[in-house]
Amino acid sequence: MTEDIAKTVYSISQLNRKVRQLLETHLPLIWVEGEISNFACPASGHWYFSLKDDNAQVRCAMFRNRNNRVRLPSGNRPDNGLQVLLRCRVSLYEGRGEFQLIVEHMEEAGLGALQRRFEQLKHRLAAEKLFDDSHKQALPSIPSRIGVVTSPTGAAIHDVLQVLERRFPSIPITVYPTAVQGQEAIAGIAKAIELANRHNHCDVLIVGRGGGSMEDLWAFNEEAVARAIYASDIPIVSAVGHEVDTTIADLVADHRAATPSAAAELLSPNQQELSARVGNHKQRLYNAASSLIGTQQRQLQHLQKRLRHPGDKLRQQSQHIDHLEMRLQTAIGNQQHKHRSTLQRLSNALTQLHPQKTIDALKQRNQYLQQRLQAAATHTVNSCQQRLTNTAQLLNAVSPLNTLRRGYSITFNSKEGVVKSVAEVSTGETVVTRLQDGELHCTVDSVSDGSTP
């Protein structure tokens, strides 16, 4: 049984391109150290060379836009035989199928390696915030005791003692001896800092040494020393090397001094300047006290002038009380007079409104009204009697009875109506004739008018 296996056939160009892509894709930027040989710089400005060690070599290319940034102690171009440290990409030159390195950065080996270690540790400790200002402690204004972590035989301790002797010799010094150069210095510096913290005799530490090469100062770039400084409860002034040198210890420490002498200057006040300042403050205090005393004396004199004898004050108060008493008596008298007047007025009003007086007035008015009523009644009766008499006389004069007494009579028909005409009666009708002294009942025999004889 046979299988058809798919075959992919590459051309040489395709193969080289595939290999180059694989190398550049799967291998990141790397650091490589070795010796330069076969260096060439054509008119294009690109650099081509081999990098070798005792057992192998590899082709390298550094293009002009990268190599124009290279700064080497021997000049801007490397020499054959120079040991260098390269940051580069792994690639393949497709035209000849040659494995090669594309160089991005070049520096001289040795110092360059140390500088790279320095930058890597600096970046890592910065990420852990060992350099933050929030962790840094303040320095004492006048230390009670200064600790110095350095070599007991080096120049640094002599510089510190000389400065302190000149500026403020009364500050005591405790030296914590340690090596400050070489591999053993790393643990020695860290242990000396820890020992100073355990003793807790000093309120500030100077950690440092004199100047030197980067290799000489390298102990102060180690992580163990940096963490010992960071963990210290005592404020630390880092004084490593000359002013141009910066170490990890400088960055972690609470304060940095350019040199051990500068650290001693920083921590010790100038005794002469301090004495002058004390004298100046003393004079200012004396002037202020004198001015204050003068002001208080003037104020006291002013108060003494205002101060009066208690007897004068009492007499004044007594006179014032008498005046108030007289005013009170006058006010009381006025009030009494006012109240008496009001009481009298109310009494008179009450007297005027007494019921008996009202009763007497009403009785008097009643008598008056009775008299007027009686007189009016008598007058009315008399008037009415006179009117009655007059009316009776007038009535009597026109009365039918009076007419009857004079011989006249009145005839009434059967309907009791007064007969005023013969036409009101008929023959045979009974009529009544009223005379002065009686009535006559008559029957009408005949009726005749006034014209009948």
Side-chain angles (χ1 to χ4, degrees), residues 264-296:
E265 292 270 356
L266 176 67
L267 295 177
S268 60
N270 189 313
Q271 185 168 322
Q272 295 179 352
E273 293 179 359
L274 189 61
S275 178
R277 289 174 58 190
V278 170
N280 184 36
H281 288 313
K282 179 180 178 181
Q283 184 62 40
R284 291 177 60 189
L285 181 62
Y286 175 79
N287 294 338
S290 298
S291 176
L292 180 61
I293 291 173
T295 302
Q296 295 295 332

Side-chain angles (χ1 to χ4, degrees), residues 32 49-52 56-60 99-101:
V32 179
F49 56 91
S50 297
L51 191 70
K52 66 178 182 178
Q57 66 177 3
V58 62
R59 294 292 298 170
C60 300
F99 175 73
Q100 67 176 359
L101 302 179

